[in-house]
Amino acid sequence: MEFYKTPLLFTRLFESGDLSRCDEPQSIDKNLELIITTCPGEHKYDPGFGCDIWFLDFENVISVKRWENEFMSFISKAVRKYEPRICERKTTVHFFDVKNQHELSGAISIRKRVDIKIDATIISSGKQCRFSYSLYLGPITSN
């Protein structure tokens, strides 16, 4: 089974009459990335689409462990809801401090990076897959 590759390149559709395609693991990977990096309310036709981690980005953290657990549960919940092609999901997150020195000003900033791993089984094939993403927090950006 083939799936359309995202982002959709409509210029290719108009030039060749076809859109780029990918296999199911690639399609799932792109959809998971879209779920994680979309804030609920951004999707016009499904305001609930996305991941609630965006609401934690500037939250006043009282308990780091509780905050990290909530972060992971938001990802798991969004993936369960919006990616039905996988099962037996195990989500892990690891947080790291990343030090950046700005070239022009020399100012140093420290941001949190989170590495997200989702281990799952693709339902149609039974194939085991691991999907990995990195985000930088405050504000959240993708790598």
Side-chain angles (χ1 to χ4, degrees):
M1 182 177 251
E2 288 185 329
F3 298 85
Y4 291 114
K5 210 179 226 185
T6 56
L8 298 174
L9 301 175
F10 289 104
T11 54
R12 180 180 169 144
L13 176 65
F14 296 130
E15 291 170 359
S16 68
D18 194 19
L19 289 170
S20 297
R21 298 176 191 267
C22 63
D23 62 14
E24 189 172 27
Q26 291 171 319
S27 174
I28 292 169
D29 182 59
K30 283 299 197 180
N31 190 48
L32 290 172
E33 183 178 13
L34 185 63
I35 292 165
I36 291 168
T37 59
T38 301
C39 179
E42 287 183 336
H43 191 287
K44 181 178 180 179
Y45 299 105
D46 184 353
F49 182 86
C51 189
D52 289 342
I53 61 173
W54 290 88
F55 302 124
L56 295 174
D57 199 21
F58 294 104
E59 184 177 279
N60 189 10
V61 178
I62 296 169
S63 166
V64 173
K65 190 66 177 165
R66 189 173 134 237
W67 187 91
E68 289 175 355
N69 287 337
E70 194 170 20
F71 189 97
M72 188 167 59
S73 75
F74 284 159
I75 291 171
S76 295
K77 179 181 152 193
V79 169
R80 253 190 330 273
K81 184 174 182 180
Y82 289 106
E83 186 43 84
R85 297 175 290 177
I86 59 175
C87 66
E88 297 178 23
R89 302 161 194 94
K90 180 183 176 204
T91 303
T92 55
V93 295
H94 297 284
F95 294 87
F96 305 93
D97 287 332
V98 177
K99 181 178 164 182
N100 292 320
Q101 185 166 6
H102 302 280
E103 285 184 35
L104 297 175
S105 68
I108 295 174
S109 65
I110 298 175
R111 298 175 75 190
K112 287 257 185 236
R113 184 182 90 199
V114 60
D115 290 340
I116 302 164
K117 294 189 180 4
I118 301 170
D119 292 309
T121 302
I122 298 175
I123 293 171
S124 65
S125 67
K127 181 181 174 186
Q128 298 289 314
C129 290
R130 171 174 274 183
F131 305 99
S132 301
Y133 311 95
S134 292
L135 298 174
Y136 290 89
L137 307 178
I140 292 180
T141 56
S142 61
N143 186 350

